[in-house]
């Protein structure tokens, strides 16, 4: 009998890579969320807000904001040894929404980040994913100083379907964001299984 270190090597598992979108209104915290959880330096396409943009950029509630995403944010996180998520943060301003269709291609699911001070800014993203059948989870970013509301009250205000999960989060906190992403993946996989079972012979 041979003693000592085993000669067997740990079998390498090729990870599954999934694409997740992070969407929501202007200034809701999408760039912060991607940056908080990404294990690589996030790719950001931010520009300084200019005086020329003031007539079209609604800064109500985010008056201190000085930059805006003009194309996308990109990050990556390994949830498990065999599961890697690519995160694509969408631009929040109306004039950049034409980019959403390209970013949405191949996405497993999405996070709609919401701010209770500006809930109406979430409607466009919710409508977008509902129309295209892309599974999504609503994550309420709990800003400091913002009034807190029960989850069911926020759900009612957003008129969410029963199967859409709503979670509270802190977009600055890595563990909080990881919990949101896990919820998105689980929700999307459950819907995918249901879809496959309905078309099975």
């Amino acid at each position: 009998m041979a003693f000592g270190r085993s000669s067997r090597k740990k079998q390498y598992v090729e990870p599954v890579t999934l694409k997740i979108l992070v969407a929501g209104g202007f200034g809701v915290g999408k760039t912060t969320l991607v940056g908080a959880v990404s294990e690589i330096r996030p790719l950001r396409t931010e520009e300084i807000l200019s005086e020329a943009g003031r007539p079209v950029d609604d800064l109500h509630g985010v008056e201190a904001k000085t930059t805006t995403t003009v194309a996308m944010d990109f990050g990556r996180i390994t949830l498990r040894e065999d599961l890697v998520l690519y995160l694509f943060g969408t631009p929040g301003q109306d004039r950049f929404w034409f980019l959403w269709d390209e970013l949405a291609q191949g996405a497993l699911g999405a996070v709609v980040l919401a701010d209770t001070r500006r809930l109406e800014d979430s409607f466009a993203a919710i409508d977008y994913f509902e129309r295209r059948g892309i599974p999504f989870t609503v994550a309420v970013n709990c800003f400091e100083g913002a009034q807190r509301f029960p989850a069911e009250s926020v759900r009612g205000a957003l008129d969410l379907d029963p199967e859409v999960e709503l979670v509270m989060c802190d977009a600055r906190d890595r563990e909080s964001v990881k919990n949101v992403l896990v919820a998105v993946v689980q929700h999307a996989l459950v819907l995918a299984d249901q879809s496959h079972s309905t078309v099975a012979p």
Side-chain angles (χ1 to χ4, degrees), residues 80-107:
R80 298 192 313 247
E81 182 183 59
D82 60 345
L83 180 59
V84 175
L85 302 185
Y86 290 142
L87 308 177
F88 290 80
T90 64
Q93 294 163 288
D94 297 14
R95 65 182 186 276
F96 298 124
W97 282 354
F98 66 92
L99 295 168
W100 284 35
D101 286 341
E102 187 169 342
L103 291 174
Q105 291 183 17

Side-chain angles (χ1 to χ4, degrees), residues 149-161:
F149 298 94
E152 286 308 310
S153 297
V154 179
R155 172 181 291 279
L158 293 174
D159 193 26
L160 298 177
D161 290 337

Side-chain angles (χ1 to χ4, degrees), residues 26 30-31 45-47 65 67-73 89-93 96:
F26 175 57
K30 299 181 295 295
T31 299
T45 56
E46 290 192 307
E47 294 292 340
K65 188 169 174 61
T67 60
T68 183
T69 298
V70 296
M72 67 173 184
D73 298 310
T90 64
Q93 294 163 288
F96 298 124

Side-chain angles (χ1 to χ4, degrees), residues 6-195:
S6 172
S7 61
R8 289 181 298 178
K9 292 183 179 180
K10 185 177 181 181
Q11 186 175 5
Y12 174 73
V13 177
E14 184 70 29
V16 173
T17 57
L18 303 175
K19 180 178 182 180
I20 301 293
L21 298 186
V22 181
F26 175 57
V28 78
K30 299 181 295 295
T31 299
T32 300
L33 184 148
V34 173
V37 79
S38 180
E39 61 199 20
I40 62 172
R41 184 176 180 180
L43 168 65
R44 293 174 174 166
T45 56
E46 290 192 307
E47 294 292 340
I48 301 295
L49 287 169
S50 66
E51 286 298 322
R54 287 193 177 275
V56 292
D57 295 335
D58 180 12
L59 297 180
H60 176 68
V62 287
E63 291 82 3
K65 188 169 174 61
T66 59
T67 60
T68 183
T69 298
V70 296
M72 67 173 184
D73 298 310
F74 173 77
R76 184 188 72 201
I77 177 173
T78 302
L79 286 185
R80 298 192 313 247
E81 182 183 59
D82 60 345
L83 180 59
V84 175
L85 302 185
Y86 290 142
L87 308 177
F88 290 80
T90 64
Q93 294 163 288
D94 297 14
R95 65 182 186 276
F96 298 124
W97 282 354
F98 66 92
L99 295 168
W100 284 35
D101 286 341
E102 187 169 342
L103 291 174
Q105 291 183 17
L108 172 78
V111 177
V112 175
L113 198 58
D115 179 353
T116 56
R117 299 169 300 181
R118 309 173 82 195
L119 270 185
E120 66 279 4
D121 291 354
S122 305
F123 291 137
I126 291 171
D127 290 344
Y128 181 90
F129 296 124
E130 284 181 342
R131 288 198 307 269
R132 286 159 180 78
I134 298 175
F136 66 95
T137 292
V138 174
V140 178
N141 192 7
C142 298
F143 285 89
E144 288 184 18
Q147 187 175 356
R148 304 296 172 91
F149 298 94
E152 286 308 310
S153 297
V154 179
R155 172 181 291 279
L158 293 174
D159 193 26
L160 298 177
D161 290 337
E163 69 272 12
V164 176
E165 187 169 359
L166 183 142
V167 296
M168 302 295 177
C169 79
D170 182 343
R172 303 166 300 179
D173 182 78
R174 179 179 175 84
E175 289 305 313
S176 181
V177 174
K178 281 179 67 175
N179 290 337
V180 171
L181 297 176
V182 168
V184 175
V185 173
Q186 289 177 339
H187 176 55
L189 293 179
V190 166
L191 292 183
D193 286 343
Q194 291 175 350
S195 175

